PDB file of all heavy atoms in Angstrom:
ATOM      1  N   CYS A 186     275.423 323.866 -31.788  1.00  0.00           N
ATOM      2  CA  CYS A 186     276.423 324.313 -30.837  1.00  0.00           C
ATOM      3  C   CYS A 186     276.964 323.081 -30.134  1.00  0.00           C
ATOM      4  O   CYS A 186     276.201 322.167 -29.807  1.00  0.00           O
ATOM      5  CB  CYS A 186     275.838 325.276 -29.807  1.00  0.00           C
ATOM      6  SG  CYS A 186     275.457 326.917 -30.451  1.00  0.00           S
ATOM      7  N   LYS A 206     273.904 320.566 -29.167  1.00  0.00           N
ATOM      8  CA  LYS A 206     272.469 320.845 -29.227  1.00  0.00           C
ATOM      9  C   LYS A 206     272.195 321.688 -30.465  1.00  0.00           C
ATOM     10  O   LYS A 206     273.074 322.404 -30.955  1.00  0.00           O
ATOM     11  CB  LYS A 206     271.990 321.602 -27.976  1.00  0.00           C
ATOM     12  CG  LYS A 206     271.852 320.728 -26.733  1.00  0.00           C
ATOM     13  CD  LYS A 206     271.186 321.509 -25.620  1.00  0.00           C
ATOM     14  CE  LYS A 206     270.981 320.640 -24.393  1.00  0.00           C
ATOM     15  NZ  LYS A 206     269.952 319.604 -24.627  1.00  0.00           N
ATOM     16  N   ASP A 207     270.955 321.638 -30.941  1.00  0.00           N
ATOM     17  CA  ASP A 207     270.550 322.526 -32.029  1.00  0.00           C
ATOM     18  C   ASP A 207     270.567 323.962 -31.540  1.00  0.00           C
ATOM     19  O   ASP A 207     270.062 324.254 -30.448  1.00  0.00           O
ATOM     20  CB  ASP A 207     269.140 322.177 -32.522  1.00  0.00           C
ATOM     21  CG  ASP A 207     269.092 320.827 -33.218  1.00  0.00           C
ATOM     22  OD1 ASP A 207     270.158 320.346 -33.636  1.00  0.00           O
ATOM     23  OD2 ASP A 207     267.988 320.272 -33.329  1.00  0.00           O
ATOM     24  N   THR A 208     271.128 324.859 -32.330  1.00  0.00           N
ATOM     25  CA  THR A 208     271.224 326.257 -31.921  1.00  0.00           C
ATOM     26  C   THR A 208     269.848 326.872 -31.699  1.00  0.00           C
ATOM     27  O   THR A 208     269.654 327.671 -30.774  1.00  0.00           O
ATOM     28  CB  THR A 208     271.998 327.067 -32.977  1.00  0.00           C
ATOM     29  OG1 THR A 208     273.265 326.450 -33.201  1.00  0.00           O
ATOM     30  CG2 THR A 208     272.210 328.496 -32.526  1.00  0.00           C
ATOM     31  N   GLU A 209     268.875 326.524 -32.520  1.00  0.00           N
ATOM     32  CA  GLU A 209     267.532 327.097 -32.393  1.00  0.00           C
ATOM     33  C   GLU A 209     266.778 326.561 -31.187  1.00  0.00           C
ATOM     34  O   GLU A 209     265.771 327.122 -30.764  1.00  0.00           O
ATOM     35  CB  GLU A 209     266.723 326.820 -33.660  1.00  0.00           C
ATOM     36  CG  GLU A 209     267.254 327.534 -34.894  1.00  0.00           C
ATOM     37  CD  GLU A 209     266.389 327.282 -36.114  1.00  0.00           C
ATOM     38  OE1 GLU A 209     265.436 326.503 -35.998  1.00  0.00           O
ATOM     39  OE2 GLU A 209     266.682 327.865 -37.175  1.00  0.00           O
ATOM     40  N   GLU A 210     267.281 325.471 -30.611  1.00  0.00           N
ATOM     41  CA  GLU A 210     266.582 324.847 -29.493  1.00  0.00           C
ATOM     42  C   GLU A 210     266.598 325.721 -28.248  1.00  0.00           C
ATOM     43  O   GLU A 210     265.665 325.736 -27.462  1.00  0.00           O
ATOM     44  CB  GLU A 210     267.233 323.488 -29.190  1.00  0.00           C
ATOM     45  CG  GLU A 210     266.509 322.654 -28.167  1.00  0.00           C
ATOM     46  CD  GLU A 210     267.165 321.287 -28.012  1.00  0.00           C
ATOM     47  OE1 GLU A 210     267.609 320.719 -29.024  1.00  0.00           O
ATOM     48  OE2 GLU A 210     267.222 320.808 -26.872  1.00  0.00           O
ATOM     49  N   LEU A 211     267.686 326.461 -28.060  1.00  0.00           N
ATOM     50  CA  LEU A 211     267.849 327.282 -26.873  1.00  0.00           C
ATOM     51  C   LEU A 211     268.256 328.696 -27.274  1.00  0.00           C
ATOM     52  O   LEU A 211     269.077 328.883 -28.170  1.00  0.00           O
ATOM     53  CB  LEU A 211     268.922 326.694 -25.953  1.00  0.00           C
ATOM     54  CG  LEU A 211     268.683 325.282 -25.415  1.00  0.00           C
ATOM     55  CD1 LEU A 211     269.916 324.810 -24.664  1.00  0.00           C
ATOM     56  CD2 LEU A 211     267.464 325.242 -24.514  1.00  0.00           C
ATOM     57  N   TYR A 212     267.700 329.693 -26.597  1.00  0.00           N
ATOM     58  CA  TYR A 212     268.099 331.071 -26.850  1.00  0.00           C
ATOM     59  C   TYR A 212     269.476 331.320 -26.219  1.00  0.00           C
ATOM     60  O   TYR A 212     269.956 330.506 -25.431  1.00  0.00           O
ATOM     61  CB  TYR A 212     267.042 332.023 -26.332  1.00  0.00           C
ATOM     62  CG  TYR A 212     265.911 332.211 -27.307  1.00  0.00           C
ATOM     63  CD1 TYR A 212     264.860 331.306 -27.375  1.00  0.00           C
ATOM     64  CD2 TYR A 212     265.922 333.285 -28.192  1.00  0.00           C
ATOM     65  CE1 TYR A 212     263.832 331.460 -28.306  1.00  0.00           C
ATOM     66  CE2 TYR A 212     264.906 333.462 -29.125  1.00  0.00           C
ATOM     67  CZ  TYR A 212     263.861 332.544 -29.169  1.00  0.00           C
ATOM     68  OH  TYR A 212     262.861 332.701 -30.099  1.00  0.00           O
ATOM     69  N   PRO A 213     270.101 332.450 -26.536  1.00  0.00           N
ATOM     70  CA  PRO A 213     271.505 332.635 -26.170  1.00  0.00           C
ATOM     71  C   PRO A 213     271.863 332.308 -24.725  1.00  0.00           C
ATOM     72  O   PRO A 213     272.798 331.537 -24.484  1.00  0.00           O
ATOM     73  CB  PRO A 213     271.744 334.113 -26.498  1.00  0.00           C
ATOM     74  CG  PRO A 213     270.819 334.394 -27.621  1.00  0.00           C
ATOM     75  CD  PRO A 213     269.607 333.578 -27.347  1.00  0.00           C
ATOM     76  N   TYR A 214     271.151 332.886 -23.760  1.00  0.00           N
ATOM     77  CA  TYR A 214     271.583 332.674 -22.381  1.00  0.00           C
ATOM     78  C   TYR A 214     271.273 331.267 -21.899  1.00  0.00           C
ATOM     79  O   TYR A 214     271.984 330.726 -21.050  1.00  0.00           O
ATOM     80  CB  TYR A 214     270.971 333.748 -21.474  1.00  0.00           C
ATOM     81  CG  TYR A 214     271.601 335.102 -21.744  1.00  0.00           C
ATOM     82  CD1 TYR A 214     270.896 336.108 -22.390  1.00  0.00           C
ATOM     83  CD2 TYR A 214     272.941 335.344 -21.402  1.00  0.00           C
ATOM     84  CE1 TYR A 214     271.495 337.322 -22.677  1.00  0.00           C
ATOM     85  CE2 TYR A 214     273.538 336.565 -21.684  1.00  0.00           C
ATOM     86  CZ  TYR A 214     272.811 337.549 -22.319  1.00  0.00           C
ATOM     87  OH  TYR A 214     273.409 338.744 -22.616  1.00  0.00           O
ATOM     88  N   ARG A 215     270.240 330.638 -22.454  1.00  0.00           N
ATOM     89  CA  ARG A 215     270.011 329.220 -22.166  1.00  0.00           C
ATOM     90  C   ARG A 215     271.136 328.383 -22.760  1.00  0.00           C
ATOM     91  O   ARG A 215     271.559 327.385 -22.177  1.00  0.00           O
ATOM     92  CB  ARG A 215     268.660 328.778 -22.750  1.00  0.00           C
ATOM     93  CG  ARG A 215     267.437 329.367 -22.066  1.00  0.00           C
ATOM     94  CD  ARG A 215     267.105 328.612 -20.789  1.00  0.00           C
ATOM     95  NE  ARG A 215     266.866 327.197 -21.020  1.00  0.00           N
ATOM     96  CZ  ARG A 215     265.734 326.680 -21.479  1.00  0.00           C
ATOM     97  NH1 ARG A 215     264.716 327.472 -21.804  1.00  0.00           N
ATOM     98  NH2 ARG A 215     265.605 325.362 -21.618  1.00  0.00           N
ATOM     99  N   MET A 216     271.623 328.774 -23.939  1.00  0.00           N
ATOM    100  CA  MET A 216     272.715 328.052 -24.557  1.00  0.00           C
ATOM    101  C   MET A 216     274.005 328.224 -23.762  1.00  0.00           C
ATOM    102  O   MET A 216     274.781 327.277 -23.586  1.00  0.00           O
ATOM    103  CB  MET A 216     272.917 328.515 -26.004  1.00  0.00           C
ATOM    104  CG  MET A 216     273.849 327.619 -26.804  1.00  0.00           C
ATOM    105  SD  MET A 216     273.266 325.925 -26.976  1.00  0.00           S
ATOM    106  CE  MET A 216     272.082 326.099 -28.311  1.00  0.00           C
ATOM    107  N   ILE A 217     274.241 329.423 -23.239  1.00  0.00           N
ATOM    108  CA  ILE A 217     275.417 329.648 -22.396  1.00  0.00           C
ATOM    109  C   ILE A 217     275.334 328.784 -21.139  1.00  0.00           C
ATOM    110  O   ILE A 217     276.343 328.219 -20.684  1.00  0.00           O
ATOM    111  CB  ILE A 217     275.556 331.145 -22.041  1.00  0.00           C
ATOM    112  CG1 ILE A 217     275.847 331.959 -23.312  1.00  0.00           C
ATOM    113  CG2 ILE A 217     276.670 331.353 -21.020  1.00  0.00           C
ATOM    114  CD1 ILE A 217     275.784 333.456 -23.119  1.00  0.00           C
ATOM    115  N   GLU A 218     274.135 328.639 -20.586  1.00  0.00           N
ATOM    116  CA  GLU A 218     273.954 327.736 -19.450  1.00  0.00           C
ATOM    117  C   GLU A 218     274.307 326.305 -19.822  1.00  0.00           C
ATOM    118  O   GLU A 218     274.902 325.568 -19.023  1.00  0.00           O
ATOM    119  CB  GLU A 218     272.497 327.801 -18.959  1.00  0.00           C
ATOM    120  CG  GLU A 218     272.128 329.105 -18.276  1.00  0.00           C
ATOM    121  CD  GLU A 218     270.637 329.172 -17.927  1.00  0.00           C
ATOM    122  OE1 GLU A 218     269.946 328.136 -18.089  1.00  0.00           O
ATOM    123  OE2 GLU A 218     270.181 330.235 -17.494  1.00  0.00           O
ATOM    124  N   PHE A 219     273.958 325.911 -21.056  1.00  0.00           N
ATOM    125  CA  PHE A 219     274.313 324.572 -21.538  1.00  0.00           C
ATOM    126  C   PHE A 219     275.828 324.408 -21.605  1.00  0.00           C
ATOM    127  O   PHE A 219     276.376 323.370 -21.201  1.00  0.00           O
ATOM    128  CB  PHE A 219     273.681 324.332 -22.909  1.00  0.00           C
ATOM    129  CG  PHE A 219     274.285 323.211 -23.702  1.00  0.00           C
ATOM    130  CD1 PHE A 219     274.128 321.887 -23.299  1.00  0.00           C
ATOM    131  CD2 PHE A 219     275.018 323.471 -24.865  1.00  0.00           C
ATOM    132  CE1 PHE A 219     274.709 320.844 -24.040  1.00  0.00           C
ATOM    133  CE2 PHE A 219     275.580 322.444 -25.604  1.00  0.00           C
ATOM    134  CZ  PHE A 219     275.427 321.130 -25.182  1.00  0.00           C
ATOM    135  N   PHE A 220     276.525 325.443 -22.115  1.00  0.00           N
ATOM    136  CA  PHE A 220     277.985 325.370 -22.183  1.00  0.00           C
ATOM    137  C   PHE A 220     278.585 325.164 -20.784  1.00  0.00           C
ATOM    138  O   PHE A 220     279.423 324.285 -20.565  1.00  0.00           O
ATOM    139  CB  PHE A 220     278.574 326.653 -22.787  1.00  0.00           C
ATOM    140  CG  PHE A 220     278.087 327.005 -24.163  1.00  0.00           C
ATOM    141  CD1 PHE A 220     278.024 328.326 -24.579  1.00  0.00           C
ATOM    142  CD2 PHE A 220     277.707 326.013 -25.050  1.00  0.00           C
ATOM    143  CE1 PHE A 220     277.595 328.665 -25.844  1.00  0.00           C
ATOM    144  CE2 PHE A 220     277.268 326.342 -26.331  1.00  0.00           C
ATOM    145  CZ  PHE A 220     277.202 327.670 -26.716  1.00  0.00           C
ATOM    146  N   ILE A 221     278.147 325.999 -19.855  1.00  0.00           N
ATOM    147  CA  ILE A 221     278.711 325.966 -18.498  1.00  0.00           C
ATOM    148  C   ILE A 221     278.383 324.654 -17.798  1.00  0.00           C
ATOM    149  O   ILE A 221     279.259 324.028 -17.178  1.00  0.00           O
ATOM    150  CB  ILE A 221     278.190 327.176 -17.689  1.00  0.00           C
ATOM    151  CG1 ILE A 221     278.765 328.484 -18.265  1.00  0.00           C
ATOM    152  CG2 ILE A 221     278.560 327.038 -16.214  1.00  0.00           C
ATOM    153  CD1 ILE A 221     278.156 329.739 -17.680  1.00  0.00           C
ATOM    154  N   SER A 222     277.133 324.231 -17.901  1.00  0.00           N
ATOM    155  CA  SER A 222     276.736 323.005 -17.200  1.00  0.00           C
ATOM    156  C   SER A 222     277.422 321.774 -17.790  1.00  0.00           C
ATOM    157  O   SER A 222     277.781 320.844 -17.056  1.00  0.00           O
ATOM    158  CB  SER A 222     275.216 322.830 -17.239  1.00  0.00           C
ATOM    159  OG  SER A 222     274.765 322.629 -18.569  1.00  0.00           O
ATOM    160  N   THR A 223     277.635 321.760 -19.111  1.00  0.00           N
ATOM    161  CA  THR A 223     278.308 320.624 -19.743  1.00  0.00           C
ATOM    162  C   THR A 223     279.749 320.503 -19.260  1.00  0.00           C
ATOM    163  O   THR A 223     280.217 319.408 -18.918  1.00  0.00           O
ATOM    164  CB  THR A 223     278.277 320.764 -21.277  1.00  0.00           C
ATOM    165  OG1 THR A 223     276.921 320.810 -21.720  1.00  0.00           O
ATOM    166  CG2 THR A 223     278.981 319.589 -21.941  1.00  0.00           C
ATOM    167  N   TRP A 263     271.417 336.504 -31.348  1.00  0.00           N
ATOM    168  CA  TRP A 263     272.646 336.746 -30.594  1.00  0.00           C
ATOM    169  C   TRP A 263     273.139 338.168 -30.864  1.00  0.00           C
ATOM    170  O   TRP A 263     274.056 338.399 -31.638  1.00  0.00           O
ATOM    171  CB  TRP A 263     273.705 335.719 -30.978  1.00  0.00           C
ATOM    172  CG  TRP A 263     273.329 334.308 -30.622  1.00  0.00           C
ATOM    173  CD1 TRP A 263     272.313 333.571 -31.132  1.00  0.00           C
ATOM    174  CD2 TRP A 263     273.977 333.460 -29.670  1.00  0.00           C
ATOM    175  NE1 TRP A 263     272.273 332.322 -30.572  1.00  0.00           N
ATOM    176  CE2 TRP A 263     273.294 332.226 -29.671  1.00  0.00           C
ATOM    177  CE3 TRP A 263     275.091 333.613 -28.829  1.00  0.00           C
ATOM    178  CZ2 TRP A 263     273.678 331.162 -28.849  1.00  0.00           C
ATOM    179  CZ3 TRP A 263     275.471 332.557 -28.028  1.00  0.00           C
ATOM    180  CH2 TRP A 263     274.764 331.351 -28.037  1.00  0.00           C
ATOM    181  N   ILE A 266     275.731 339.642 -27.243  1.00  0.00           N
ATOM    182  CA  ILE A 266     275.664 338.643 -26.177  1.00  0.00           C
ATOM    183  C   ILE A 266     277.034 338.516 -25.509  1.00  0.00           C
ATOM    184  O   ILE A 266     278.047 338.290 -26.172  1.00  0.00           O
ATOM    185  CB  ILE A 266     275.207 337.278 -26.729  1.00  0.00           C
ATOM    186  CG1 ILE A 266     273.806 337.389 -27.329  1.00  0.00           C
ATOM    187  CG2 ILE A 266     275.254 336.218 -25.639  1.00  0.00           C
ATOM    188  CD1 ILE A 266     272.726 337.816 -26.348  1.00  0.00           C
ATOM    189  N   PRO A 271     279.531 335.372 -17.732  1.00  0.00           N
ATOM    190  CA  PRO A 271     279.032 334.182 -17.028  1.00  0.00           C
ATOM    191  C   PRO A 271     280.036 333.026 -16.991  1.00  0.00           C
ATOM    192  O   PRO A 271     280.109 332.289 -16.005  1.00  0.00           O
ATOM    193  CB  PRO A 271     277.782 333.801 -17.830  1.00  0.00           C
ATOM    194  CG  PRO A 271     277.933 334.455 -19.155  1.00  0.00           C
ATOM    195  CD  PRO A 271     278.714 335.696 -18.908  1.00  0.00           C
TER     196      PRO A 271
END
Side-chain angles (χ1 to χ4, degrees):
C186 287
K206 284 188 177 291
D207 292 341
T208 305
E209 294 183 356
E210 187 176 322
L211 300 173
Y212 277 83
Y214 290 108
R215 291 279 302 280
M216 192 62 80
I217 294 171
E218 290 175 8
F219 162 69
F220 302 151
I221 292 171
S222 65
T223 300
W263 296 65
I266 299 299

